Amino acid sequence: MAALMYQIFTSSGLVSLGIYHLVHTVHNFLLKSPRDYSAKPFYPLSLPSSRFRLLPLYLTIAALFFAFIHQTVISTYADPLLKGHTPVHRFTSLQSAGVIFLFLLLSLLLLLSESSSLLLPFPSDLFFGLASAFFYLQYSVSTAQAQVQTSDLQAKCDSNSARISALSSLLCLILACIPRLFIAEVGLGASVVLRGLWALQTGLSLYVEAFIPEGCHRLLDVVSGVEGSTKCEIDESKLRAVAILDLAFVVHVMIVMVILFLLYAVISKIVGVSRRFGPYEALPTTADSNHVQLKTLSGTQA
């Protein structure tokens, strides 16, 4: 149950962060011309009070800190169901905690840059370059975790998660080199949403009986009383379960695309209405209008 709750917490945080970034990215792109547009690591809230402008960044740091503590604590647990048993589980958990700690440091640097006038602004290309390196490191850790899993379903979930990390790393690298590429920033936000949805799918497929594919069961070490994830004993059931997870991954990609299209349509309509009923141009004064009329009359007489 604790593992499922952590997956739900991770999913809600990532989906919220991704949608928040998508909304502000599309809004920033529609308000500016392509020449003035540039990707940003963080978009503060547009509030009159400066106290709550950085609230999303505070929430992100708090969530990363909680995830770091969780990964550090579970590294002390025994896991005889993993290939290599408890020592391998300890090292893989510490690797995940280390990657989360790097993202936590990056968020703290961004917070100090946004809130303190004593520090120079954090360059966007440097931020995206570091984020690209950290996402690639996360890809390596997820790939290594997939290789040592006893559970075939857990390995498949970790493998798909590694692919999302690789995509995020590539998009961050592109933004570090070409910060005006709108599609890359949109893709980065969409990849964060996809990671959140896949975290939820992972929790449901591994820890909820109703979502476990047919022919698979929960792992349990009877002697130690340790519960693992889900495994399929028959090859036919394993192939069927992997195919179901691949289908679920495609469905989640489709959901992300639908969310993206809806956000773009709604925001573009709102921005269009605000431009239509926004600030008006001042009408010419009486003296200016008389001057224009006299100039027109004189030109007509000539």
Side-chain angles (χ1 to χ4, degrees), residues 110-165:
L110 185 60
L111 175 63
L112 292 176
S113 175
E114 293 285 343
S115 60
S116 177
S117 59
L118 300 178
L119 297 178
L120 294 176
F122 199 17
S124 298
D125 54 351
L126 178 59
F127 176 90
F128 287 118
L130 292 175
S132 175
F134 297 162
F135 275 122
Y136 184 80
L137 185 59
Q138 190 175 40
Y139 158 76
S140 302
V141 171
S142 298
T143 302
Q145 290 177 344
Q147 294 175 353
V148 299
Q149 290 291 338
T150 304
S151 168
D152 299 314
L153 293 186
Q154 180 76 56
K156 184 62 179 179
C157 291
D158 291 340
S159 177
N160 287 342
S161 179
R163 294 175 183 174
I164 301 174
S165 298

Side-chain angles (χ1 to χ4, degrees), residues 216-232:
C216 305
H217 60 88
R218 293 287 303 276
L219 289 173
L220 177 64
D221 185 84
V222 181
V223 178
S224 304
V226 176
E227 292 189 11
S229 54
T230 306
K231 185 177 181 180
C232 307

Side-chain angles (χ1 to χ4, degrees), residues 42-209:
F42 172 69
Y43 293 93
L45 290 174
S46 301
L47 297 176
S49 176
S50 59
R51 181 180 303 177
F52 299 102
R53 290 181 65 253
L54 303 179
L55 180 61
L57 192 54
Y58 285 117
L59 294 176
T60 302
I61 292 174
L64 287 172
F65 181 76
F66 175 79
F68 170 72
I69 295 298
H70 176 267
Q71 289 295 332
T72 304
V73 170
I74 66 172
S75 66
T76 62
Y77 295 167
D79 192 353
L81 299 173
L82 199 68
K83 293 180 181 179
H85 304 301
T86 301
V88 175
H89 164 72
R90 179 171 295 124
F91 289 127
T92 55
S93 298
L94 289 177
Q95 288 173 4
S96 299
V99 173
I100 295 173
F101 183 73
L102 291 176
F103 280 106
L104 179 60
L105 286 181
L106 188 61
S107 301
L108 289 174
L109 287 175
L110 185 60
L111 175 63
L112 292 176
S113 175
E114 293 285 343
S115 60
S116 177
S117 59
L118 300 178
L119 297 178
L120 294 176
F122 199 17
S124 298
D125 54 351
L126 178 59
F127 176 90
F128 287 118
L130 292 175
S132 175
F134 297 162
F135 275 122
Y136 184 80
L137 185 59
Q138 190 175 40
Y139 158 76
S140 302
V141 171
S142 298
T143 302
Q145 290 177 344
Q147 294 175 353
V148 299
Q149 290 291 338
T150 304
S151 168
D152 299 314
L153 293 186
Q154 180 76 56
K156 184 62 179 179
C157 291
D158 291 340
S159 177
N160 287 342
S161 179
R163 294 175 183 174
I164 301 174
S165 298
L167 175 62
S168 300
S169 177
L170 177 62
L171 292 172
C172 285
L173 182 60
I174 293 175
L175 288 175
C177 302
I178 314 174
R180 294 182 178 179
L181 192 59
F182 169 68
I183 190 173
E185 189 176 11
V186 169
L188 180 60
S191 68
V192 175
V193 177
L194 179 60
R195 172 175 291 278
L197 293 177
W198 188 248
L200 178 61
Q201 181 65 49
T202 299
L204 294 177
S205 299
L206 299 180
Y207 307 113
V208 179
E209 293 291 341

Side-chain angles (χ1 to χ4, degrees), residues 224-242:
S224 304
V226 176
E227 292 189 11
S229 54
T230 306
K231 185 177 181 180
C232 307
E233 298 293 345
I234 306 176
D235 290 339
E236 182 179 355
S237 300
K238 179 181 69 175
L239 295 175
R240 179 177 178 273
V242 171

